[in-house]
Amino acid sequence: MSIEHETLHQETLIYMLHQLESKYKNIPDIPPLILKGSLTRSQRIKIPKGIAYLGADPILQRWGWDNEFNRHQVEVDAFEVESLNITIKDWLSFISIGGYNNPSFWTPSNFQWKKCESIEYPKTWRKKGEEFFVLTALGEEVPVDSCQDWPVFVSFAEALAYASWKGGRIMTEPEYHRLAFITPEGKEQMYPWGNEKPTIEHGNFGLENWAPTPVGTHPKGISAWGVHDLIGDAWEWTSTPFKPFEGFKPYSVYPGYSADFFEGKHYVLKGASYATDRILIRPSFRNWYQDKYPFMFAKFRLVYD
């Protein structure tokens, strides 16, 4: 428990470093940024109706946080999903059509929040004159024109507005599990790519890079359905409120770890970011953040009914 909790706080610390201006950072010797990708067009993939498994069995999985238990089966209706996450290039299009200032794309409360906070672009960006720059944790600010293939990091409120503009929606937690851990043949697996333990070839996590990588950079991490980057670069937003599974029991040594956040204001995120330790990469792990929190490393993709 202590080790995993420490890794979570280390990632949160990196979120704070991410917001610090580059002039205050002593840039270490880190791998060069990967800026350009080879995949430029996402594909809609049809996922038929079927089952998914959520949660963990305490007999089979010796350790997990209280919100990960218990394992249960769910039915998932048919849907379509984009093979790639929404990119910075996509987000620039949203900005260019006035997406931040069109209330028809936003829920009333989200639009009011955007106005009160004067949000006109992601909090993980900076604007200098007419140019946008993307922050990195330990490096320089990168011009958006140089990293348009990176997944965009945004709050859930912003992701919802984009989805509304495009006529799509954000996937649910069960839909993520069906994409990531169930094959088209109905076989269950530990990771989107199979049962091999996560390596740098499968995705961008474990601080192998101190920034995102272009979408589709890790073909060995592709899911059995053909969906890229379900684990790595950033946590994947779902539209599922963070709630307990049936049979939930808080840990006596840390009763508020999950229970304090079952208030309907937090949403489940799945996968991992580039700053996530590998020990947290397991099907049952659930991250969560409030919908208007804009600083975490969180991405999204669109799904359609």
Side-chain angles (χ1 to χ4, degrees):
M1 178 182 287
S2 298
I3 293 172
E4 283 204 359
H5 199 245
E6 179 62 23
T7 66
L8 290 167
H9 281 294
Q10 288 175 358
E11 181 167 342
T12 304
L13 177 61
I14 295 171
Y15 297 170
M16 298 169 67
L17 288 173
H18 196 256
Q19 291 296 310
L20 192 65
E21 292 185 37
S22 58
K23 65 181 180 181
Y24 297 116
K25 300 175 184 178
N26 293 320
I27 309 302
D29 184 17
I30 57 177
L33 301 179
I34 303 172
L35 298 174
K36 296 294 183 181
S38 59
L39 293 179
T40 58
R41 182 181 291 273
S42 182
Q43 304 293 325
R44 278 201 197 186
I45 299 173
K46 294 183 177 181
I47 310 298
K49 182 178 180 179
I51 63 170
Y53 298 97
L54 277 69
D57 185 330
I59 297 176
L60 300 177
Q61 183 170 308
R62 296 182 62 185
W63 161 253
W65 293 96
D66 52 10
N67 66 74
E68 297 180 51
F69 301 102
N70 284 314
R71 176 179 164 90
H72 56 287
Q73 179 179 309
V74 295
E75 294 286 337
V76 181
D77 289 334
F79 64 100
E80 295 184 12
V81 61
E82 295 286 354
S83 62
L84 301 178
N85 288 113
I86 301 304
T87 64
I88 287 174
K89 181 179 181 180
D90 298 326
W91 202 260
L92 288 170
S93 296
F94 180 66
I95 293 174
S96 70
I97 58 93
Y100 273 95
N101 297 307
N102 189 333
S104 67
F105 299 147
W106 301 75
T107 68
S109 64
N110 288 349
F111 193 71
Q112 183 63 29
W113 161 77
K114 184 210 76 69
K115 288 176 60 179
C116 290
E117 298 292 329
S118 300
I119 295 175
E120 302 293 337
Y121 49 87
K123 285 286 190 179
T124 52
W125 294 14
R126 292 291 182 266
K127 190 174 184 181
K128 300 178 181 180
E130 295 302 313
E131 291 188 81
F132 290 114
F133 295 80
V134 179
L135 301 176
T136 60
L138 293 182
E140 297 292 331
E141 299 166 1
V142 182
V144 291
D145 289 343
S146 299
C147 58
Q148 292 193 28
D149 296 335
W150 284 1
V152 68
F153 292 2
V154 293
S155 67
F156 184 69
E158 291 167 292
L160 278 182
Y162 184 97
S164 175
W165 172 47
K166 286 294 189 178
R169 60 178 177 81
I170 312 302
M171 76 171 72
T172 65
E173 186 178 11
E175 286 170 340
Y176 177 93
H177 275 254
R178 182 150 172 76
L179 289 174
F181 309 120
I182 302 293
T183 70
E185 297 75 33
K187 182 181 178 181
E188 189 176 12
Q189 56 190 26
M190 278 291 295
Y191 308 104
W193 54 85
N195 293 310
E196 182 182 352
K197 290 185 177 180
T199 71
I200 193 173
E201 294 183 323
H202 296 122
N204 183 21
F205 38 73
L207 290 178
E208 297 286 352
N209 298 285
W210 282 82
T213 53
V215 296
T217 300
H218 300 88
K220 287 192 175 181
I222 194 171
S223 81
W225 300 95
V227 180
H228 291 261
D229 306 317
L230 286 166
I231 297 178
D233 282 320
W235 294 93
E236 185 109 12
W237 278 116
T238 80
S239 58
T240 300
F242 182 56
K243 294 181 179 179
F245 293 145
E246 185 175 352
F248 169 79
K249 295 180 180 179
Y251 288 151
S252 60
V253 294
Y254 199 165
Y257 173 76
S258 302
D260 287 352
F261 303 95
F262 292 150
E263 82 292 64
K265 297 180 181 179
H266 291 74
Y267 290 82
V268 174
L269 297 96
K270 297 293 297 187
S273 83
Y274 71 78
T276 304
D277 194 286
R278 285 183 176 86
I279 65 173
L280 298 175
I281 299 177
R282 56 179 179 266
S284 59
F285 188 84
R286 309 168 82 199
N287 203 351
W288 66 92
Y289 275 100
Q290 290 196 28
D291 60 343
K292 299 177 181 64
Y293 184 74
F295 301 113
M296 68 287 165
F297 301 159
K299 62 184 181 178
F300 73 104
R301 73 186 74 227
L302 297 182
V303 298
Y304 309 88
D305 294 320

